[in-house]
Amino acid sequence: MTGREDDKRLVVGAEERATLEAWAEQAGSGLGLRSRIVLACADGLSRKEIAARLAVSSATVAKWLARFVERGLDGLADAPRPGRPRSTGRQEAERVIAAAAGGSAVPSTRSMARQLGLSQSTVARIWQEQQIAPPASQVLPRELLSDRVYALLRGWIVSGELVAGQRLVEAEIARRVGTSQAPAREAIKRLAHEGLVISYPNRGSYVAEISDEQAREVRDIRVLLEEYAARGAAARIQPETLQQLTGDVLAMQRAAGDGDIGAFRDADLAFHRRVCAACGNSFLLRLWRTIESNLWSLHVVGNPLYEGDWMAMAGHHDDLVTALASGDPDEAARLFAAHARGEASRTRPRTRPSA
């Protein structure tokens, strides 16, 4: 399911919109009304405007938008009602779904919904009522479920299977990997901490969209700030600051060893923030804090998509500490600028001539 959002509107993907528009044509049906609510929000209308246009309460608008954000298209369906007689069409659907589940290739609920002329949520309910389990090869062991779901989601994002701007729906992820929603929720939170996912309150979570042009511009500014900060810090660095910077490097090394990219990025940002604070110019630290969120969201510091050696990256920071401790402003500025440009692996500390 694709989609993204900004501060004013919910943006849905092409497949979602096509389905919603088809449902919206169902005059007099609850599903049609709910689809029109979501489409109106996607077109930029406020909840108050939607309520007035569709002659419903604002609470109704809020309810179905929240359901859509949480569960996607499935969230727009009615909950199953106890005792409701099953139609001949439903009985036929149950037979087809049971037969499909017994095949070698299990189709998606979306494709079966199209085949049967039913909503995807109805097919999903029948699927669950029949207690059809995912294929054994897709069922994850109970231990460390959130870690396994995290690894799968991260792999799909890095490979491009989940594209930038795509909405991540916990219920769909859980169904796909054969778990409850809790591991999917924890995995999404972890990816959000790394910067690969962006979560918006009451809107949902989306694969982060990165602008190469914005990243280049922010990186250029970072080079200027880092070079200036290193030059000033090298001239006045204090032993306690060097000790703190060494602690940040150790934290990066621990995170690299644990494969915890979020923790690595935290320590990485703390390291560079500390150098800015040590340079003796309070306004530089303010400037750094101004762009820090962009350094994080645009992956300019500790790029979570980095495929190299994270332990080696931590080691490059150790070289930076050594350069500051040397008291040589030019050497420190050279190494920090190269590091900010992403050239740390090709820029080594100069060897001092022996006395």
Side-chain angles (χ1 to χ4, degrees):
M1 176 180 297
T2 59
R4 65 178 177 81
E5 73 184 85
D6 55 30
D7 292 337
K8 296 183 178 180
R9 68 175 64 185
L10 175 70
V11 182
V12 299
E15 286 190 25
E16 281 183 324
R17 180 172 284 276
T19 301
L20 289 168
E21 289 175 347
W23 288 350
E25 294 176 358
Q26 301 176 13
S29 74
L31 184 60
L33 174 62
R34 296 159 200 164
S35 299
R36 290 191 287 276
I37 289 174
V38 173
L39 287 170
C41 181
D43 290 337
L45 273 66
S46 68
R47 293 184 182 183
K48 185 176 180 180
E49 291 171 331
I50 296 171
R53 173 178 292 190
L54 300 179
V56 297
S57 68
S58 296
T60 297
V61 173
K63 170 186 174 181
W64 292 110
L65 288 178
R67 286 275 295 271
F68 179 75
V69 168
E70 180 183 356
R71 298 178 54 198
L73 294 173
D74 289 354
L76 301 183
D78 288 311
R81 299 173 182 173
R84 182 179 180 179
R86 293 179 176 172
S87 65
T88 303
R90 182 183 170 94
Q91 291 174 352
E92 175 64 14
E94 290 175 349
R95 184 190 65 77
V96 172
I97 292 171
S104 58
V106 180
S108 67
T109 55
R110 180 175 298 170
S111 63
M112 286 192 289
R114 290 173 178 167
Q115 175 188 346
L116 296 168
L118 300 172
S119 71
Q120 188 179 355
S121 57
T122 299
V123 172
R125 283 204 303 273
I126 296 173
W127 188 281
Q128 292 168 357
E129 288 168 6
Q130 294 181 351
Q131 297 183 335
I132 299 171
S137 61
Q138 297 180 10
V139 177
L140 302 180
R142 292 187 62 85
E143 66 274 10
L144 302 178
L145 283 176
S146 62
D147 287 346
R148 294 289 303 279
V149 177
Y150 157 80
L152 285 173
L153 287 177
R154 196 178 197 283
W156 294 336
I157 291 173
V158 172
S159 68
E161 184 174 347
L162 294 176
V163 299
Q166 183 164 350
R167 190 154 64 90
L168 303 178
V169 180
E170 294 171 8
E172 291 187 357
I173 295 170
R175 183 165 56 244
R176 181 173 179 180
V177 301
T179 70
S180 66
Q181 289 184 219
R185 186 177 306 116
E186 291 302 315
I188 290 173
K189 286 181 180 178
R190 186 172 172 185
L191 290 166
H193 182 56
E194 289 186 10
L196 291 176
V197 169
I198 299 177
S199 294
Y200 300 91
N202 303 317
R203 293 281 188 166
S205 298
Y206 299 79
V207 178
E209 295 184 271
I210 305 300
S211 165
D212 291 339
E213 178 65 17
Q214 287 182 333
R216 183 192 62 77
E217 292 174 349
V218 172
R219 184 175 292 107
D220 288 346
I221 296 299
R222 180 194 175 189
V223 171
L224 297 175
L225 296 184
E226 294 256 33
E227 186 174 12
Y228 179 90
R231 191 179 298 278
R236 56 177 55 82
I237 197 75
Q238 299 297 311
E240 57 268 28
T241 303
L242 290 172
Q243 186 175 3
Q244 292 167 345
L245 291 171
T246 299
D248 293 330
V249 174
L250 291 174
M252 284 184 241
Q253 291 172 338
R254 285 194 298 270
D258 295 338
D260 189 340
I261 308 306
F264 189 103
R265 299 188 78 200
D266 284 338
D268 196 353
L269 274 174
F271 178 96
H272 293 283
R273 189 187 309 123
R274 207 181 304 279
V275 174
C276 289
C279 81
N281 187 327
S282 62
F283 281 94
L284 180 65
L285 182 58
R286 295 183 192 179
L287 288 173
W288 178 268
R289 290 188 180 279
T290 299
I291 70 167
E292 191 170 274
S293 62
N294 293 301
L295 294 172
W296 180 279
S297 63
L298 294 172
H299 301 174
V300 175
V301 171
N303 185 356
L305 297 177
Y306 176 63
E307 296 181 350
D309 187 339
W310 286 88
M311 192 65 74
M313 186 187 292
H316 297 324
H317 287 80
D318 206 21
D319 292 340
L320 298 179
V321 175
T322 301
L324 292 174
S326 73
D328 184 340
D330 291 337
E331 174 68 353
R334 183 182 74 88
L335 290 180
F336 270 83
H339 177 80
R341 287 192 296 266
E343 301 171 358
S345 61
R346 302 191 300 274
T347 308
R348 307 307 303 157
R350 290 195 179 103
T351 302
R352 288 178 172 273
S354 57

